[in-house]
Amino acid sequence: MMAASLPGAALAQGAARPVRILVPFPGGGTMDLVARLFAPTIGQLLGAPMVIDNRPGGGTVIATQEAARAAPDGTTLLMASNSFTINPFIQRNLPYDGERDFAPLAHVAVLPHMLVVHPSLGVRDLAGLVALSRSRPGGLSYASYGTGTSNHLSTELLKARTGGDFTHVPYRGSGQWLPDLLEGRVHMVLGILAEVVPPVREGRLTPIALAHGQRLAAAPGVPSFAELGMPDFASNSWFGFFTNAAVPEATRARLEAAVRAPLAEPAIRARFGELWIEPTGQGAGDFAAFLRGERAQYAEAVRLAGLQPQ
């Protein structure tokens, strides 16, 4: 796919200025990998060299603030995830306004979560899990990627909607909680497929349900929450592109086309399949609607979890 296929692709007259993708996580993670997969095609379509700028820290605030302050010339993209819609509810005095300062371009990928439990619980479905949690003093413990993260808040919603007795145990990522889950020191988790499917296939974890709209090829025998009577329940890690809201509309349209284009490439879709990442490809309008739904869901979840802005 050549740059000439996108009319008016170059963002500046003469020699093109580099376009950078701000990634709010360290190099080597899944978001960083997706950014690097997308960058060559984006750069080709925009007629500009690409730079991946990893700015971890502050619960993704550092990179997001940098993007909000960037010149509105279309040369800065922000790749964001769930924390973009969670942070306004758990962080006080954010140095930007996610709705005012940013223009959504495209929702490109989702990493669905699967609810899994330790086999020692002896349950194989959601009804059995909820009943067991109610029967045990103190209920059952669930791991998360940390307080205020997507799977923490989603499990609080699950707890409220099912009446389960689930107690939060925050960790600093799957590198910490997965060993404890495999040893039964914590009972359950809503984890991304790449982390939980391998031990499920080995019989070391029991799958309960996919927090996704339908069954997936990675786990064809596992029902979705929709099949279990919870069509509005979803839990995932998503990736999307944003730019500064002051970027002119015509430039935003070119950026939107460029960041969506990589999803049409067979090699990228194949790599997504290897990583159990679901491509989405929503454009700016649908992505904006998705974000409104995310904000509403996380506002409810933060209230249920009893979290106060820090």
Side-chain angles (χ1 to χ4, degrees):
M1 187 179 294
M2 300 301 293
S5 66
L6 187 63
L11 295 177
Q13 297 294 326
R17 295 173 56 193
V19 172
R20 63 174 174 160
I21 301 176
L22 282 160
V23 176
F25 296 100
T30 305
M31 182 186 284
D32 177 72
L33 184 151
V34 172
R36 293 176 191 278
L37 282 174
F38 276 42
T41 299
I42 295 172
Q44 191 175 44
L45 289 172
L46 297 177
M50 299 296 296
V51 176
I52 306 298
D53 190 353
N54 297 90
R55 298 286 186 96
T60 72
V61 170
I62 290 175
T64 309
Q65 180 181 14
E66 175 71 12
R69 292 177 174 176
D73 57 6
T75 61
T76 298
L77 300 171
L78 172 69
M79 198 168 189
S81 60
N82 307 63
S83 56
F84 187 87
T85 47
I86 294 172
N87 280 344
F89 303 108
I90 64 172
Q91 294 208 34
R92 197 183 304 276
N93 300 321
L94 283 176
Y96 56 84
D97 184 308
E99 296 183 71
R100 180 195 65 208
D101 297 336
F102 290 93
L105 296 174
H107 179 290
V108 297
V110 64
L111 285 69
H113 293 169
M114 181 192 288
L115 179 63
V116 297
V117 303
H118 192 267
S120 65
L121 296 184
V123 296
R124 304 196 67 84
D125 56 37
L126 183 61
L129 178 66
V130 171
L132 178 64
S133 74
R134 292 173 177 170
S135 71
R136 285 195 175 191
L140 299 175
S141 59
Y142 73 89
S144 81
Y145 299 109
T147 299
T149 56
S150 59
N151 68 340
H152 168 214
L153 297 177
S154 294
T155 311
E156 287 298 311
L157 286 173
L158 180 66
K159 175 180 175 179
R161 295 178 185 181
T162 62
D165 188 355
F166 307 138
T167 300
H168 182 217
V169 181
Y171 289 82
R172 290 182 177 271
S174 59
Q176 290 189 351
W177 61 249
L178 187 55
D180 278 1
L181 180 62
L182 292 174
E183 293 298 325
R185 291 187 287 269
V186 66
H187 297 122
M188 53 186 271
V189 74
L190 277 165
I192 65 171
L193 300 185
E195 294 165 344
V196 300
V197 167
V200 163
R201 291 178 173 175
E202 295 167 358
R204 302 177 69 191
L205 293 176
T206 300
I208 299 297
L210 277 163
H212 195 60
Q214 64 275 333
R215 296 195 184 203
L216 296 173
V222 181
S224 69
F225 276 95
E227 293 177 65
L228 303 178
M230 298 178 63
D232 297 329
F233 180 75
S235 181
N236 55 59
S237 302
W238 56 262
F239 299 154
F241 283 97
F242 296 79
T243 193
N244 191 295
V247 170
E249 185 175 347
T251 302
R252 293 204 307 266
R254 292 197 294 272
L255 293 172
E256 177 187 342
V259 299
R260 295 176 70 185
L263 289 173
E265 298 189 5
I268 289 178
R269 295 184 74 91
R271 185 67 176 128
F272 271 27
E274 293 169 359
L275 299 169
W276 295 307
I277 299 173
E278 293 292 304
T280 50
Q282 290 180 331
D286 289 338
F287 190 20
F290 169 83
L291 293 169
R292 288 192 291 272
E294 287 286 284
R295 292 185 183 102
Q297 174 173 285
Y298 287 132
E300 179 188 1
V302 167
R303 178 183 61 79
L304 291 169
L307 299 180
Q308 297 297 323
Q310 300 295 316

